[in-house]
Amino acid sequence: MIHIIDDIFPKHLLEHFGTTINRSMEPFVSGYASKEGEGYFEWEEQHPHKAMCRTILDRASHYENIPSDVDGYEYWTHINTRPNDTHQDKDEVAYLKHGISRFPLFSTVFYLEIKDLYGGELVFEDGVEVIPKANRLVVFKKGLEHRVRSFSGHRVSIAVNPWSTKLYK
């Protein structure tokens, strides 16, 4: 299943998040090569973007179940993500070091900023394409393969994925 929810946050919060997120464009791999202030967080752990992450997950929970014993979530910003090969959101360390495919409970992509964008659609293995739009949340089932189509312009997305277990380190 793929769910698209628009207008998650009021404008003033979008502007606030836009001034406080990590704008590093350095390559990273979830849990393997982290970005400062991002990565895996236990459910009640404090961090500067906890309210944003938890609001995204709360809205997503209307479509996908978050069990009461959820362990935590990973959070990443993607600034002008380069178009990529089809992939799955997974525990990258478990996969790269141990050959184990472990997936979050479900995946989300939240579009914080979109400016002068041509292309950049989120394309899923089943052929569904989602057009990036500021303040849009995309929620999809675990293990669903997806990629970003080539684009020009400015595109900031945020991934927040809940986990029932801790990620490998």
Side-chain angles (χ1 to χ4, degrees):
M1 270 302 171
I2 300 167
H3 305 280
I4 301 168
I5 308 106
D6 288 334
D7 302 323
I8 301 298
F9 295 104
K11 185 178 179 180
H12 74 279
L13 283 179
L14 289 177
E15 292 170 356
H16 170 72
F17 298 145
T19 63
T20 61
I21 62 166
N22 183 336
R23 293 209 171 252
S24 169
M25 294 176 66
E26 292 294 315
F28 67 94
V29 176
S30 176
Y32 198 71
S34 294
K35 289 172 69 174
E36 185 177 340
E38 300 180 4
Y40 179 84
F41 297 94
E42 292 185 11
W43 193 251
E44 294 301 330
E45 185 176 345
Q46 295 298 318
H47 64 93
H49 291 105
K50 179 180 178 179
M52 177 185 69
C53 292
R54 292 290 294 272
T55 299
I56 287 170
L57 291 172
D58 179 63
R59 292 299 298 272
S61 73
H62 295 260
Y63 305 92
E64 295 286 343
N65 183 46
I66 298 178
S68 60
D69 63 346
V70 64
D71 192 73
Y73 55 91
E74 61 181 326
Y75 150 64
W76 304 100
T77 58
H78 300 274
I79 312 294
N80 292 326
T81 302
R82 288 171 281 175
N84 55 31
D85 294 329
T86 301
H87 68 280
Q88 298 167 302
D89 294 343
K90 60 186 173 294
D91 183 333
E92 295 292 345
V93 173
Y95 183 75
L96 293 170
K97 288 188 172 182
H98 306 287
I100 300 168
S101 292
R102 295 176 66 223
F103 302 103
L105 295 168
F106 57 85
S107 295
T108 72
V109 174
F110 175 70
Y111 295 105
L112 180 64
E113 297 172 4
I114 302 295
K115 295 178 187 161
D116 303 321
L117 190 69
Y118 179 77
E121 295 86 353
L122 183 59
V123 181
F124 292 94
E125 66 184 29
D126 60 4
V128 172
E129 295 187 18
V130 178
I131 297 170
K133 176 183 171 189
N135 211 6
R136 172 170 281 174
L137 175 63
V138 183
V139 181
F140 52 100
K141 68 180 180 177
K142 68 179 179 182
L144 188 60
E145 292 185 341
H146 57 284
R147 67 183 177 88
V148 174
R149 190 179 301 280
S150 295
F151 66 94
S152 62
H154 180 70
R155 180 183 187 277
V156 176
S157 62
I158 296 170
V160 183
N161 301 328
W163 287 85
S164 59
T165 60
K166 288 182 169 60
L167 296 178
Y168 276 71
K169 295 226 179 215

